[in-house]
Amino acid sequence: MVKLISSPNSALSGRVRVPGDKSISHRALMLSALAVGRSEVRGLLEGDDVLATAAAMRAMGATINRLGDGHYEVYGVGVGGLMSPDDIIDMGNSGTSTRLLLGLMASHDMTVTMTGDASLRSRPMGRVMDPLGEFGAEFSARGGRFLPLTITGTAQPLVLDYSPPMASAQVKSAVLLAGLNTPGRTIVREKIATRDHSERMLSAMGADIRVVVEDGVRIVSIEGQPELSPISIDVPGDISSSAFLLAAASMVPGSDVAVEAVGLNPLRTGIIGALTAMGADIVIENESTLGGEPVGTLRVRAAALKAATDLAVDPSTMIDEFPVLFCAAAVAEGVSRFTGLEELRVKESDRLNAMAVGLAANGVQVEELPDGLIIHGAGGHGACERIPGGGSVETHLDHRIAMSFSVLGQMATAPVTIDDASPMQTSFPGFTDLMTGLGAGLALED
Ligand code: S3P
């Protein structure tokens, strides 16, 4: 465990890039490993989660070579060409790797045992085991639904028409990836649209994937057993990582930060709308496209934040950004009420509880609801205000909890102590250096 002490230093200013998008990086490795031929990926996130995906794809037969920083070449095995790894595969902290790979494995004639760290071993896998079982895959899992688990995929998968009971891009993608090696058309019906990186990338690689919206339901269907063409892709910066900078620069007086080449997929940009509705000053500049996704520079300047009353955005478009939005609410003027967020309880940690406990330990008045939080902001008279701070925060192996409290410490009277900074490595290598380079006060303590 590496302790991190966060305390105010100066206004934040500078132009930066954040590491590549985690969701797109996972998919770039998985799908190029199924293409026929050589793919190239630039700007890949070299965080532990994505490296776990790379190791798993190698263990199943793909060739993945690192050519330079974030630059990889991948020789695919073709759809249907994955082989059983000769050992257990360890997915570390990565729910996305685990659930998406289970999708791929379900329709291959293979047997794989997967495990992960304590956080991942506590996360529900039933949400993918249920639909993948309908393709014909078989599972043996600890407690019925948890890692470690063994999947035996089927050589004769049956197509599925599935309506996930929760808004989850991981569940949708797991089903679509199982459909990739299944003859016929696999269908996923989403009541609430979730990030569509799988759909975009599969389409760019030549799969017959269609999206229609009927009566508010987003229906995604894919024809199985395509030959996927190799790709050459530049991964955009991760908006979920940028969110820490957007919140920090909004909160700390006098800040002015530009984050370049950030992915602005409309199913991911909820944090911009949510912060803007609280009074944040965020301007999008230099819009273009990268890797089949919209990108732009986000310029953010400090602003007087008001409480979030009626969240005007769909939670699925910013599901990973709530912890840092809660921090913004803690320094804003007024009482924020967040509800409908029960999914936050099954992330890398129970994020509602981890945030409630950490905020309270730092003098923020907070109430935990079954599906959300009520946060009494310290701000007043149209300005953000420092919170008392001085507390210690347990990160529970959750990168976003660690980074959120690093941001909050920049607006604390007494330093905020984060018990373990190492989980940041899963999604945002270099976070502390990047933040201190902008002017933040962060110090690591062994
Ligand atoms: C992801 C989907 C989301 C998100 C996760 C990445 C993805 O999870 O929280 O960090 O890449 O598909 P859910 O599908 O559980 O909402």
Side-chain angles (χ1 to χ4, degrees):
M1 303 238 272
V2 187
K3 254 193 207 167
L4 181 69
I5 316 292
S6 174
S7 51
N9 180 38
S10 68
L12 308 181
S13 76
R15 268 190 109 73
V16 288
R17 279 181 187 237
V18 293
D21 187 271
K22 179 159 77 71
S23 294
I24 298 174
S25 295
H26 283 301
R27 288 157 173 83
L29 289 178
M30 290 179 196
L31 294 177
S32 57
L34 292 175
V36 176
R38 177 181 181 272
S39 292
E40 250 186 275
V41 188
R42 287 189 179 74
L44 188 91
L45 168 63
E46 295 185 294
D48 290 345
D49 278 16
V50 175
L51 298 178
T53 289
M57 296 315 294
R58 286 190 184 110
M60 292 190 287
T63 301
I64 302 176
N65 299 321
R66 185 176 192 272
L67 304 178
D69 281 353
H71 185 191
Y72 287 75
E73 63 175 1
V74 181
Y75 291 91
V77 295
V79 170
L82 296 177
M83 297 174 315
S84 292
D86 58 15
D87 200 354
I88 290 175
I89 56 174
D90 186 343
M91 306 321 303
N93 190 250
S94 183
T96 309
S97 313
T98 307
R99 296 191 177 120
L100 270 56
L101 290 176
L102 285 170
L104 285 181
M105 293 163 182
S107 55
H108 278 76
D109 185 10
M110 64 197 305
T111 297
V112 187
T113 300
M114 291 174 128
T115 191
D117 70 6
S119 155
L120 189 58
R121 292 196 308 272
S122 72
R123 299 184 66 187
M125 293 300 149
R127 55 180 57 198
V128 287
M129 289 165 61
D130 290 342
L132 299 178
E134 293 191 40
F135 281 91
E138 287 175 7
F139 295 90
S140 166
R142 182 178 60 90
R145 330 293 274 156
F146 297 99
L147 296 185
L149 68 71
T150 298
I151 177 172
T152 302
T154 175
Q156 268 112 30
L158 302 169
V159 280
L160 182 63
D161 183 338
Y162 191 64
S163 301
M166 72 291 288
S168 167
Q170 292 178 356
V171 173
K172 169 179 66 180
S173 299
V175 172
L176 294 175
L177 293 180
L180 209 47
N181 196 33
T182 300
R185 240 181 144 78
T186 293
I187 301 172
V188 182
R189 297 171 195 270
E190 289 192 295
K191 286 191 263 320
I192 297 170
T194 62
R195 64 190 72 190
D196 62 353
H197 307 301
S198 303
E199 294 93 307
R200 284 173 187 252
M201 207 177 289
L202 282 163
S203 170
M205 296 174 81
D208 173 6
I209 183 160
R210 293 182 212 153
V211 181
V212 291
V213 179
E214 275 174 23
D215 299 329
V217 177
R218 189 167 173 277
I219 306 170
V220 186
S221 67
I222 184 164
E223 184 66 33
Q225 302 187 316
E227 182 173 309
L228 294 180
S229 318
I231 40 167
S232 172
I233 183 173
D234 279 297
V235 179
D238 197 325
I239 185 154
S240 300
S241 298
S242 311
F244 300 105
L245 306 183
L246 299 183
S250 296
M251 287 157 54
V252 178
S255 296
D256 184 352
V257 170
V259 194
E260 293 174 0
V262 180
L264 297 175
N265 181 308
L267 292 166
R268 293 286 298 281
T269 46
I271 185 66
I272 299 175
L275 282 170
T276 304
M278 291 172 72
D281 174 2
I282 302 172
V283 179
I284 302 177
E285 297 166 352
N286 305 325
E287 287 182 78
S288 63
T289 36
L290 199 61
E293 299 270 350
V295 293
T297 295
L298 298 177
R299 171 109 188 253
V300 52
R301 279 169 270 216
L305 298 181
K306 303 181 298 287
T309 37
D310 285 319
L311 199 63
V313 303
D314 190 328
S316 71
T317 62
M318 55 167 295
I319 196 68
D320 292 330
E321 287 72 83
F322 280 100
V324 81
L325 189 72
F326 297 155
C327 295
V331 303
E333 177 180 7
V335 180
S336 296
R337 188 184 165 89
F338 301 97
T339 56
L341 302 178
E342 47 282 288
E343 272 294 300
L344 295 191
R345 293 206 183 272
V346 292
K347 294 294 178 187
E348 285 81 334
S349 68
D350 173 345
R351 287 184 175 159
L352 292 179
N353 184 256
M355 289 305 300
V357 172
L359 288 170
N362 285 288
V364 178
Q365 200 191 328
V366 53
E367 290 158 57
E368 189 177 340
L369 309 171
D371 66 340
L373 294 183
I374 297 174
I375 297 170
H376 296 253
H381 313 295
C384 292
E385 229 22 275
R386 287 191 182 180
I387 56 141
S392 183
V393 172
E394 270 188 76
T395 46
H396 302 281
L397 293 174
D398 189 333
H399 52 137
R400 301 207 198 275
I401 300 297
M403 291 186 277
S404 296
F405 282 103
S406 313
V407 167
L408 188 63
Q410 301 308 301
M411 286 293 282
T413 306
V416 171
T417 303
I418 291 117
D419 71 340
D420 189 9
S422 48
M424 294 175 181
Q425 213 36 44
T426 65
S427 67
F428 200 153
F431 174 79
T432 45
D433 286 348
L434 186 143
M435 288 294 286
T436 47
L438 289 171
L442 293 177
L444 290 166
E445 255 183 28
D446 279 331

